[in-house]
Amino acid sequence: DISLGGIFVSGSVPVKIGSMVFLSFSLKEKKLSLTGQVVRVTDDGLGIRFMGLSEDARRCIEGHCY
């Protein structure tokens, strides 16, 4: 699940709320490397808020989501 605000990553990862994380993934064959902050931790995964999205990353996510 991804939006301009952030992403939900499924899985069990021992990370605390407030932790900064580095994410690297591809959308529509475009590789993105982003920084985010963990804002939610559940049994199903992590909610991560994107920090400082570049205009290029923003356009890529918008194209994927909207």
Side-chain angles (χ1 to χ4, degrees), residues 5 15-16 25 31 33 38 45 50 54 59:
V15 180
K16 294 182 181 182
F25 57 92
K31 185 174 179 182
S33 296
V38 177
F50 295 135
S54 68
R59 280 193 300 270

Side-chain angles (χ1 to χ4, degrees), residues 17-46:
I17 291 175
S19 296
M20 299 301 289
V21 294
F22 181 75
L23 305 164
S24 184
F25 57 92
S26 295
L27 282 178
K28 295 187 176 186
E29 300 180 19
K30 171 89 173 156
K31 185 174 179 182
L32 297 175
S33 296
L34 308 172
T35 302
Q37 182 176 28
V38 177
V39 294
R40 185 176 64 185
V41 177
T42 70
D43 291 338
D44 297 326
L46 306 172

